[in-house]
Amino acid sequence: MATVLVTGGAGYVGSHACRALAEAGHVPVCFDDFRTGWRAAVRFGPLVEGRLLDRAALDAAFAAHRPEAVMHFAALSLVAESVAEPGRYWRENVGGTLTLLEAMRDAGVGRLVFSSTAAVYGDSDLALIPEHAPQRPTNPYGATKLAVERMLADFGAAHGLRAVVFRYFNVAGAAAEATIGEQHRPETHLIPLVLEAALGRREAIVQHGDDYPTPDGACVRDYIHVGDLAEAHLLGLERLLRGGESLTANLGVGRGYSVREVIERARAVTGRPIPARIGPRRPGDPARLVCDPALALAELGWRARRSDLDRMIADAWTWAQGAGYDA
Ligand code: UDP
């Protein structure tokens, strides 16, 4: 049983990781500033309210809770926003993580599970993208995550930090009992927006681009259930607690769906018509991102178990039909 500081623990993926940690008998200490996280998502352990760029707040959290490890989710994560406001992304994602790593070094905490992204690959010609594929991010979001990965390697060499880095593909779904789920303000992610259209809360879903070099012209993504993602984080943590080496691994299923296919499946799962129209491409979007998940299986024994697209949409639908965190 370990105490784990979870930055961004009140956000979508972070809260599901806290839930998985608590279920496994660990103590997740949520560190969040609630700019994008939700107080009602903090249900699984203690809370420290603070900003990543606030070194004193981090030092106080390490002193008060003495964590054995950190899971680091807190970040800005919207592709289009990162293209428009790169400075904020470099400051918060890279500067924020640097502050965290120095606080960890000085507190003697040498284990980190880090939330990276498939956006580090950028446009790839490969049908399935392995970890050694070229890393050429097409947007500042991906560039900042890649910069952090390099920073982790440097801190590893100099200070002995051991890190498990997960490059997520597209996260979807919610905890089955839907006490926590995906809620962003504004919402920009495909499946929540499709479900808002299903509920009549928005007029239509706009497909960003239909002239990509893919079979139906829409972007193709690999969708992974947030519960599967949380489970991988637990395995990554356990590897580090056992003394295992650093690792960088993709988390995805190995199967891609186009935006058009996702909308089609959502119509079937919800039984609602879901109006859709075509809009322009979204700046920074690669055409196709599909994961080769073999390394996570080989190194962690992890595979996606809940990531059938219909199930992810169904779990997100249960959550979307509830009151969310506004209740
Ligand atoms: N997308 C879309 N319409 C929307 C939101 C997203 O067509 O209203 C597309 C987007 O261009 C991308 C895919 O859906 O190809 C997944 O986008 P999302 O924002 O969910 O995740 P990202 O791939 O940016 O991490």
Side-chain angles (χ1 to χ4, degrees):
M1 178 165 140
T3 297
V4 182
L5 190 76
V6 183
T7 76
Y12 173 42
V13 181
S15 61
H16 284 82
C18 286
R19 179 177 183 273
L21 284 166
E23 266 180 8
H26 301 298
V27 179
V29 178
C30 173
F31 184 89
D32 207 292
D33 63 7
F34 299 109
R35 280 181 304 165
T36 53
W38 302 90
R39 286 182 196 276
V42 184
R43 318 163 51 103
F44 309 102
L47 166 68
V48 177
E49 193 167 346
R51 285 195 68 174
L52 210 53
L53 281 161
D54 180 350
R55 174 66 195 264
L58 284 169
D59 287 346
F62 283 111
H65 293 281
R66 309 211 154 278
E68 283 103 309
V70 174
M71 284 193 188
H72 178 30
F73 299 96
L76 302 177
S77 63
L78 303 179
V79 166
E81 184 182 73
S82 78
V83 173
E85 301 175 66
R88 274 183 67 210
Y89 274 69
W90 283 92
R91 184 176 314 107
E92 303 264 348
N93 291 359
V94 179
T97 304
L98 176 57
T99 312
L100 173 67
L101 294 187
E102 290 182 331
M104 287 176 66
R105 180 197 60 201
D106 295 348
V109 179
R111 305 178 185 98
L112 178 73
V113 181
F114 174 62
S115 165
S116 188
T117 171
V120 301
Y121 298 116
D123 273 310
S124 175
D125 300 334
L126 299 166
L128 298 180
I129 304 176
E131 290 78 1
H132 56 76
Q135 287 137 39
R136 294 180 296 234
T138 53
N139 54 66
Y141 167 59
T144 61
K145 289 287 185 172
L146 188 57
V148 169
E149 289 191 13
R150 299 205 166 135
M151 198 155 74
L152 296 180
D154 289 347
F155 272 68
H159 308 301
L161 175 73
R162 284 178 301 122
V164 172
V165 173
F166 287 126
R167 294 179 179 154
Y168 311 162
F169 285 65
N170 284 63
V171 191
E177 81 286 356
T179 51
I180 52 176
E182 181 170 18
Q183 186 166 330
H184 300 100
R185 216 168 258 130
E187 188 55 75
T188 63
H189 293 97
L190 179 63
I191 291 177
L193 289 176
V194 167
L195 298 180
E196 283 182 15
L199 286 165
R201 291 183 192 153
R202 72 176 49 234
E203 185 202 326
I205 180 73
V206 178
Q207 176 184 322
H208 296 316
D210 68 345
D211 58 352
Y212 285 98
T214 57
D216 67 12
C219 285
V220 171
R221 295 287 182 275
D222 182 329
Y223 293 87
I224 166 94
H225 195 293
V226 68
D228 282 333
L229 209 70
E231 207 167 270
H233 286 70
L234 206 56
L235 294 169
L237 171 74
E238 284 162 2
R239 174 190 179 99
L240 294 173
L241 292 173
R242 280 196 310 270
E245 290 170 15
S246 292
L247 171 71
T248 298
N250 287 336
L251 296 178
V253 174
R255 170 160 187 354
Y257 290 93
S258 76
V259 172
R260 200 182 285 258
E261 288 172 314
V262 169
I263 297 169
E264 215 31 74
R265 291 315 310 155
R267 287 185 179 126
V269 169
T270 64
R272 307 278 175 105
I274 313 185
R277 53 191 174 78
I278 309 293
R281 288 186 178 197
R282 192 173 67 174
D285 268 347
R288 188 174 188 285
L289 285 171
V290 182
C291 174
D292 178 346
L295 188 69
L297 177 62
E299 288 289 330
L300 299 171
W302 176 87
R303 71 169 84 236
R305 295 187 296 129
R306 310 162 176 84
S307 295
D308 170 74
L309 182 60
D310 284 7
R311 166 149 184 206
M312 288 187 277
I313 293 172
D315 285 350
W317 181 231
T318 304
W319 166 252
Q321 288 172 291
Y325 294 126
D326 302 320

